Amino acid sequence: MTGHWVAPLAELGIGAALEALRAEGLASAPMMEPLDAERMRQRAARFPEARRALLVEVLREQVGPSPSPEQLALLDRLAQPDSVTVVAGHQLVTALGPLYVHAKVAETEALAAFWTAQGVPTVPVFWMATEDHDLDEIRRIFWRGTAVGAWAPPVGAYRSGVVDAQPVADALEAWVRSAALPEPVRIAAERSIEAYRGSANLTEATRRLMAHYHPGVLVLDASDARLKAAAAELWADEIQNQTLYGTAEVAALPWKGRDLPVPMRPSALFALDAQGRRSRLDRHEDGTWTSADGRSWGSDADVAAWAADHPERVSPNALLRPVYQEFILPNAAYTGGAGELAYAYQLVPYWKNSGRDHGVWRLRHSGMWVPAAADKARAAFADQNFGGTWNPKTLRDQILQSSGAPDPARRPVLDAVSDLVRRTYAKPGLEASAEAWLRRIEREEARMVERLRREAGHREAVALRRLDLLAQTLLPSGTLQERIWTHFDLVEHGGPIAVAAYVEAYLRQPHWDVPGWWEFR
């Protein structure tokens, strides 16, 4: 598989919201600057030795008793005092979720390989969002752009990492039994079933799948109590000083009155109970705290004491999580989608005011995998129709028009006779009859237009079948392929080793300074 650069994302209208925010003055923010070797070395040098040792210790335990040679090499690299991390993260989506999850992990691995070759030891890390509690977002199984199965989440706002993996295995098995799957898809589904069946929870299952599909990336579950304890100063600062909330007014300026991606409240913390249920903590104007269930938590001092005694129960919200991530990792870069980077934009004044170390945040590349059949079909059309995102309806209309089909929106006969009918027959008392006559003419002309378009469609049947194939594979459901396809779709079109080939294609690309659109064949 090879990759072909198409254009910067901004030229394709992808990431346009971020470009607009940059135009509002965020372009010069330190967290948005390009990566460079000197900055990366400074980040490594400033990262505390004890925190690095703890991170390596936690990751060695999390890879399990039988680490692969690749994992051992990455752990040894991370232990070097001059090494940095590059990170991508995601929710614990069933069977690893949409294709863009694989893409941003592969890009992170490629980024690490590039900078390591440049003399900066760089370790790719996948951050599992094990404390997200929106289980409805992650419980469906997708194939061919359709939800083909789902599992029932437990009742209550549990963090996803502790959710039982067995219902997910059951849902995958039900799908396999109910459908005649292509052999590569069946093999991939059975591999997912094995991962969930052999795991106690979604964290373990996701780690197993990541180890199979992305063995060149370290997988981190940052809910570890030791890492939470190491970040005690973050929790204490937010509880006692609300430093993040203190930047809310300045952080909102680029949005010019629009809703912020993450609402900013006096508390950016959730509390976890012993079973993994997650409850928002709220701080009130009088300095008292309550949880979302109405329970009183006392004063700032009381909550701070709780956080110090039970760091494993502290859970940052979507805005504080990047701060925690940058605190426990010697991070040089986070690669994410537009939504993730929008969170980072809100943190610009926080980084400035707090003086805390952080890496840069970069917009991930988007891409489309072009199966052989789609590539062959596309050869029949002009290349300019397929520059990244494209509109199959527009191209369909062009094909029909070139074959003599009329514009479906136009009614030339009706236009020609309307004035004549109204002048001649719309006399007092006959206006309604004249308008009814025109409506009948319009209906008959619409039928004639449709007949002519069907005839043109018959003449262009081969071209339209090719277009339908392209729409189904390159722009399924009218949406970017990377958001609709999963690795089940990828192996259906590319065979059992397609995911590995996809990762390899990213690794063979040059370093990208500008986020862009790639096509992979």
Side-chain angles (χ1 to χ4, degrees):
M1 183 184 292
T2 58
H4 168 68
W5 167 270
V6 176
L9 289 182
E11 291 184 9
L12 301 168
I14 302 172
L18 292 175
E19 290 300 319
L21 288 175
R22 287 192 177 103
E24 296 300 330
L26 292 175
S28 59
M31 62 193 304
M32 306 302 164
E33 293 173 356
L35 276 174
D36 67 77
E38 183 55 32
R39 180 183 180 128
M40 296 169 78
R41 293 188 180 101
Q42 290 175 4
R43 179 74 168 111
R46 289 195 298 264
F47 193 71
E49 182 180 340
R51 208 178 298 166
R52 181 185 296 275
L54 174 62
L55 176 64
V56 173
E57 176 187 338
V58 170
L59 281 167
R60 284 193 190 278
E61 291 182 13
Q62 290 190 356
V63 298
S66 303
S68 68
E70 291 166 299
Q71 290 170 327
L72 286 173
L74 289 174
L75 288 166
D76 290 343
R77 186 186 302 170
L78 183 57
Q80 298 175 217
D82 59 345
S83 70
V84 293
T85 57
V86 288
V87 180
H90 206 73
Q91 297 163 287
L92 306 185
V93 189
T94 300
L96 297 186
L99 199 56
Y100 70 79
V101 177
H102 294 275
K104 64 182 177 180
V105 176
E107 182 174 346
T108 301
E109 186 176 353
L111 194 65
F114 172 83
W115 282 108
T116 299
Q118 302 302 308
V120 182
T122 307
V123 178
V125 175
F126 178 71
W127 180 288
M128 291 192 291
T130 61
E131 294 185 2
D132 193 287
H133 63 279
D134 191 348
L135 299 180
D136 191 58
E137 276 192 295
I138 67 173
R139 69 184 189 90
R140 291 172 181 81
I141 306 160
F142 285 92
W143 176 48
R144 294 180 174 175
T146 302
V148 293
W151 45 274
V155 177
Y158 285 86
R159 72 177 186 91
S160 60
V162 301
V163 172
D164 185 7
Q166 301 316 303
V168 187
D170 293 340
L172 285 161
E173 283 187 344
W175 167 47
V176 172
R177 288 196 302 269
S178 67
L181 301 177
E183 185 66 7
V185 178
R186 185 188 62 77
I187 292 171
E190 289 178 348
R191 181 167 289 117
S192 292
I193 292 168
E194 180 183 356
Y196 287 99
R197 192 65 75 200
S199 301
N201 51 47
L202 299 191
T203 295
E204 291 182 17
T206 301
R207 188 182 298 282
R208 286 171 181 259
L209 287 171
M210 285 293 298
H212 175 78
Y213 289 111
H214 299 281
V217 174
L218 291 179
V219 179
L220 176 64
D221 176 9
S223 67
D224 186 280
R226 292 163 295 179
L227 296 177
K228 292 282 188 71
E233 66 181 78
L234 285 182
W235 320 138
D237 183 41
E238 284 308 308
I239 293 166
Q240 296 175 328
N241 304 318
Q242 296 85 51
T243 299
L244 180 56
Y245 181 64
T247 66
E249 185 175 345
V250 177
L253 292 178
W255 275 265
K256 293 186 173 180
R258 302 187 300 275
D259 289 341
L260 293 172
V262 183
M264 298 186 77
R265 300 185 177 93
S267 167
L269 298 175
F270 286 74
L272 300 169
D273 67 13
Q275 287 72 46
R277 285 185 289 264
R278 194 169 184 250
S279 182
R280 192 181 74 241
L281 294 179
D282 291 312
R283 186 183 188 276
H284 306 288
E285 290 184 2
D286 62 0
T288 61
W289 292 67
T290 59
S291 52
D293 57 8
R295 184 160 63 96
S296 174
W297 282 66
S299 65
D300 290 345
D302 294 323
V303 178
W306 163 79
D309 292 340
H310 303 284
E312 74 283 357
R313 302 284 180 86
V314 178
S315 181
N317 75 351
L319 201 54
L320 189 58
R321 180 200 56 75
V323 178
Y324 174 50
Q325 181 182 102
E326 299 291 327
F327 188 86
I328 64 172
L329 295 172
N331 208 31
Y334 183 90
T335 298
E340 292 173 288
L341 264 66
Y343 298 174
Y345 277 115
Q346 283 185 241
L347 291 170
V348 170
Y350 173 85
W351 295 123
K352 182 179 179 180
N353 291 353
S354 69
R356 296 189 185 279
D357 276 340
H358 58 81
V360 302
W361 285 59
R362 55 193 301 277
L363 182 61
R364 69 175 178 87
H365 287 65
S366 285
M368 181 166 61
W369 193 73
V370 185
D375 205 26
K376 182 178 179 181
R378 194 167 70 169
F381 301 99
D383 286 344
Q384 62 264 27
N385 291 309
F386 300 94
T389 57
W390 55 284
N391 189 327
K393 181 182 182 302
T394 299
L395 188 52
R396 184 182 186 86
D397 288 344
Q398 290 174 1
I399 293 170
L400 292 175
Q401 288 171 14
S402 67
S403 187
D407 185 335
R410 295 193 59 209
R411 299 291 181 267
V413 172
L414 178 67
D415 293 343
V417 303
S418 291
D419 287 345
L420 180 62
V421 168
R422 291 187 177 106
R423 286 197 311 269
T424 307
Y425 297 106
K427 306 301 181 184
L430 296 178
E431 295 93 344
S433 296
E435 292 302 320
W437 188 10
L438 288 174
R439 287 195 295 273
R440 288 196 297 275
I441 293 173
E442 182 178 17
R443 288 195 296 271
E444 289 298 324
E445 187 171 18
R447 294 189 186 100
M448 185 60 71
V449 167
E450 183 57 32
R451 291 189 191 103
L452 288 172
R453 288 179 66 82
R454 279 202 301 270
E455 286 298 317
H458 292 320
R459 292 193 297 274
E460 299 292 342
V462 173
L464 293 177
R465 279 198 301 272
R466 288 172 176 157
L467 180 60
D468 287 343
L469 170 64
L470 293 172
Q472 291 164 15
T473 55
L474 304 187
L475 205 67
S477 304
T479 304
L480 296 180
Q481 183 198 75
E482 62 182 9
R483 294 190 169 276
I484 299 296
W485 272 19
T486 66
H487 73 272
F488 297 131
D489 299 279
L490 192 60
V491 298
E492 178 179 8
H493 291 280
I497 63 169
V499 177
Y502 190 69
V503 174
E504 179 62 25
Y506 268 94
L507 287 170
R508 287 199 303 266
Q509 306 313 316
H511 172 57
W512 301 302
D513 286 321
V514 177
W517 181 275
W518 288 82
E519 291 182 357
F520 298 94
R521 294 180 179 85

